[in-house]
Amino acid sequence: MSAISASAVEPAILPFASFAWFRRELAPTRLRKTRTAIMVGGTVLCVIISMAIQVPELDLSAYMVFFVSKESKRLTVLTGILGFIGATVGIAGSILLYKLTYGYPELRIPGMAIVLFLGMWLSRVFVIGPLGFLIGFVVTYTQSLGEQIPSPELIVRGALWAWVALVYGFVLTVVLNLLFLPDTPNESSPEPKPKKLFVPDAFTNPAHVHFALKVTFAAMFCYIVYMGIAWTGIHTALITCTFIALESTGATLHKGVLRMGGCIIGGALALFTIVFLMPHMVTIASLVVVVACASAIAGWVAAGSEMITYSGLQIAFAFFYSVFQGYAPDTDLDNVRNRVVGILFGLIVTGLVFRYIWPEHTIDRLRDALRTALRQLTRLVEIPRPKVSVEKEKTEADALIPETSKNFAQARRYVELTQFDLEESPDSDRTALRNLENTLSHAEDVFLAATSLAGDQAWNEWQTLPAAAQIAESELRNVVAKRIDRVAAGDVGNNTNADLSRALNEWNESLHQSPAENNRSAAVFQIASGVQHLE
């Protein structure tokens, strides 16, 4: 039985609890230096613009520089467009909702819960999930401020100024990235357009509804608690519940740890600035220097891999939220304390909810991603086929390779995130997890060899093979594909080894009738050898 069909999940030492992990994740690259410089420059421009013309919510504008900046121009522009649409629709929807709920908490609280549920559900089932999330979050968060604002006029003014702060941060960030971020490979190739608005299992998979209910319950619980004890300063608990919620318990806890770590670092930087530097600041130039230094630290972390980037965003937000308290120096430390307390409260509530209510284990996500990658690898290994045009085979291979690579990368990410699933497991389950990792590692080796068969030289060598050699190689690759498919299904029998040995012998015999050994034959042999380790 394959490890893919095994069960349970095993906790392990946190993957970033080592110096080697930090060294790998914080390693300098040219792209990282450029992205950090763009984020620092954008933040400095936000400070100068907002302070000069007194645009409120400077912390939001500065944070948008980090939130929108991505590793490529295309992703940055897409994020900026989605952010603009989400902020516009969310602010407009919240103002309209206030016509019914302002002064009526018995209507506002259920309204918040319904909108948040819909937003989190759309984040899972909508093809453009982030748009649904942004609209739901913006409406919910702005509605949560209703009791703190004394008049409807001030609510409208505050909402519209928040829109200005967000949108000009979006625009500034997109422009800077378009000007200074280097082009990445395939930057100019068009993205495939989604054919449907919803994912295939949008209305049949109960996990999507369960996820939305869990986030809504956690966020509304935090809201009711901090409003009940009249401590609105810890409203970051509600933000934490919505922002760290991801597709599985492990991913959610991982993001929660990153949020907490970033909050502590950003809060410490803000505390140092407020206590030791702020009393001596008399001009905007001094503020710009301090903000640039803090932004450089946050930007360097935010420009890293997916395993650490969120921590950089939290360093930035914790620092901005605590330091930007008006248009003049302020030494109030309440914001630092309240933010940390709110985040810790939100982390505890979210962790408990995701741990005990409809838990979605990362190990199951790992199996799904690995199974999908293996089935795509099955199709890739079968290419090319005799008597099929090379142009058609090339097109199919070029489409399969990036998709298969994406699923293998996702599976590798789930391997790391599995460490955050806090489950008690027997020794047999630990073995199952190790077997999954071994299967993934060997499958990646086979995939690497299979991609080499899609190169120009390999195609030329295929076309020069005699017909008998093409048939023998194709038969061998078909047997390999069947074995991979059976591994994906969790069913590998002894007869598979016998079929593989027979096909390998026939292929070896055909090589004596073909030209001298070449790179293609070496890659085919590597595929046949590597697939024998898949179990």
Side-chain angles (χ1 to χ4, degrees):
M1 184 65 66
S2 167
I4 294 180
S5 60
S7 61
V9 57
E10 164 55 20
I13 298 175
L14 297 183
F16 49 71
S18 67
F19 177 75
W21 189 91
F22 278 107
R23 186 175 181 181
R24 183 192 74 194
E25 293 295 332
L26 297 176
T29 63
R30 179 174 297 181
L31 179 61
R32 189 172 207 157
K33 294 176 182 177
T34 303
R35 290 189 61 204
T36 302
I38 290 174
M39 284 185 267
V40 172
T43 305
V44 167
L45 286 175
C46 283
V47 172
I48 295 174
I49 294 171
S50 293
M51 288 292 183
I53 61 177
Q54 294 195 348
V55 178
E57 307 293 349
L58 171 55
D59 53 333
L60 288 180
S61 301
Y63 181 66
M64 287 306 105
V65 176
F66 286 78
F67 181 78
V68 175
S69 293
K70 303 297 178 184
E71 60 271 18
S72 70
K73 292 180 179 179
R74 177 184 295 153
L75 285 176
T76 301
V77 172
L78 177 61
T79 305
I81 293 174
L82 291 179
F84 171 79
I85 297 173
T88 303
V89 175
I91 292 294
S94 185
I95 292 175
L96 291 175
L97 190 59
Y98 264 127
K99 290 178 66 67
L100 302 175
T101 63
Y102 184 76
Y104 299 97
E106 67 275 12
L107 296 179
R108 191 182 68 256
I109 294 176
M112 289 170 55
I114 292 172
V115 171
L116 182 58
F117 170 82
L118 292 175
M120 300 310 295
W121 180 73
L122 286 174
S123 73
R124 292 267 298 227
V125 305
F126 205 41
V127 172
I128 314 177
L131 180 60
F133 167 81
L134 282 172
I135 295 173
F137 170 75
V138 169
V139 173
T140 302
Y141 179 67
T142 51
Q143 288 289 307
S144 71
L145 303 177
E147 293 295 329
Q148 305 172 42
I149 303 177
S151 72
E153 180 183 357
L154 292 179
I155 284 180
V156 174
R157 287 174 59 87
L160 294 179
W161 272 117
W163 181 86
V164 171
L166 290 170
V167 169
Y168 104 75
F170 294 151
V171 174
L172 179 64
T173 307
V174 169
V175 170
L176 288 176
N177 278 270
L178 288 176
L179 289 176
F180 300 108
L181 189 66
D183 291 328
T184 56
N186 302 321
E187 186 79 57
S188 58
S189 60
E191 285 279 347
K193 297 181 179 180
K195 298 180 180 179
K196 297 181 180 179
L197 288 176
F198 296 95
V199 298
D201 64 346
F203 303 100
T204 59
N205 189 351
H208 302 318
V209 175
H210 294 167
F211 172 79
L213 286 173
K214 288 188 293 185
V215 178
T216 302
F217 175 77
M220 296 308 298
F221 176 82
C222 290
Y223 172 75
I224 292 172
V225 168
Y226 70 68
M227 290 299 294
I229 63 177
W231 193 1
T232 56
I234 62 170
H235 64 274
T236 47
L238 183 147
I239 300 174
T240 297
C241 292
T242 55
F243 268 86
I244 71 170
L246 289 176
E247 71 275 10
S248 68
T249 304
T252 298
L253 293 176
H254 167 252
K255 197 170 183 180
V257 172
L258 292 181
R259 183 172 174 83
M260 181 171 60
C263 170
I264 292 173
I265 297 173
L269 292 174
L271 184 64
F272 177 83
T273 300
I274 293 173
V275 173
F276 296 102
L277 302 179
M278 197 71 76
H280 305 288
M281 292 183 182
V282 293
T283 65
I284 193 175
S286 56
L287 178 62
V288 165
V289 172
V290 172
V291 169
C293 292
S295 299
I297 296 172
W300 189 267
V301 179
S305 73
E306 187 181 8
M307 295 301 294
I308 198 174
T309 182
Y310 189 69
S311 186
L313 270 64
Q314 285 308 301
I315 293 173
F317 190 56
F319 180 82
F320 298 152
Y321 184 87
S322 303
V323 170
F324 298 143
Q325 301 181 29
Y327 304 112
D330 196 329
T331 56
D332 185 7
L333 298 177
D334 287 348
N335 277 344
V336 180
R337 178 202 63 194
N338 292 342
R339 175 166 175 77
V340 173
V341 172
I343 288 177
L344 291 176
F345 181 42
L347 287 175
I348 293 172
V349 173
T350 305
L352 291 174
V353 170
F354 274 73
R355 169 67 176 80
Y356 292 106
I357 302 178
W358 296 311
E360 294 182 77
H361 298 309
T362 312
I363 196 76
D364 297 326
R365 295 275 177 169
L366 168 59
R367 291 193 189 97
D368 291 341
L370 181 54
R371 186 177 292 111
T372 301
L374 288 175
R375 285 174 175 160
Q376 290 174 329
L377 180 59
T378 297
R379 295 166 54 198
L380 180 62
V381 166
E382 292 176 335
I383 299 172
R385 288 154 285 215
K387 299 181 180 180
V388 179
S389 69
V390 172
E391 290 74 16
K392 181 179 179 181
E393 299 286 63
K394 274 186 176 182
T395 301
E396 185 176 353
D398 290 342
L400 271 174
I401 288 175
E403 286 299 316
T404 309
S405 177
K406 179 181 178 181
N407 280 294
F408 273 124
Q410 185 74 316
R412 182 59 63 185
R413 171 178 174 265
Y414 285 139
V415 168
E416 295 196 52
L417 292 179
T418 300
Q419 317 303 331
F420 291 85
D421 265 326
L422 305 180
E423 285 284 319
E424 297 180 359
S425 300
D427 291 339
S428 60
D429 296 330
R430 300 176 190 177
T431 302
L433 180 56
R434 286 195 296 269
N435 289 342
L436 275 173
E437 294 186 61
N438 289 335
T439 300
L440 173 59
S441 179
H442 292 307
E444 287 176 324
D445 292 338
V446 174
F447 173 65
L448 184 63
T451 55
S452 67
L453 295 181
D456 291 335
Q457 182 179 351
W459 287 114
N460 293 333
E461 292 172 350
W462 166 258
Q463 291 175 294
T464 61
L465 287 176
Q470 286 188 349
I471 293 174
E473 181 193 309
S474 179
E475 176 62 25
L476 173 60
R477 288 187 281 102
N478 287 339
V479 172
V480 168
K482 290 179 182 178
R483 182 182 178 92
I484 296 173
D485 189 58
R486 297 185 72 169
V487 170
D491 179 25
V492 179
N494 293 329
N495 61 324
T496 307
N497 293 329
D499 292 341
L500 183 61
S501 298
R502 175 188 54 77
L504 187 58
N505 290 333
E506 293 178 357
W507 174 69
N508 280 325
E509 292 177 3
S510 72
L511 291 180
H512 297 297
Q513 306 172 11
S514 61
E517 183 175 347
N518 50 37
N519 292 332
R520 180 176 189 86
S521 61
V524 172
F525 181 78
Q526 186 178 351
I527 291 173
S529 300
V531 78
Q532 298 181 56
H533 299 289
L534 291 179
E535 297 180 356

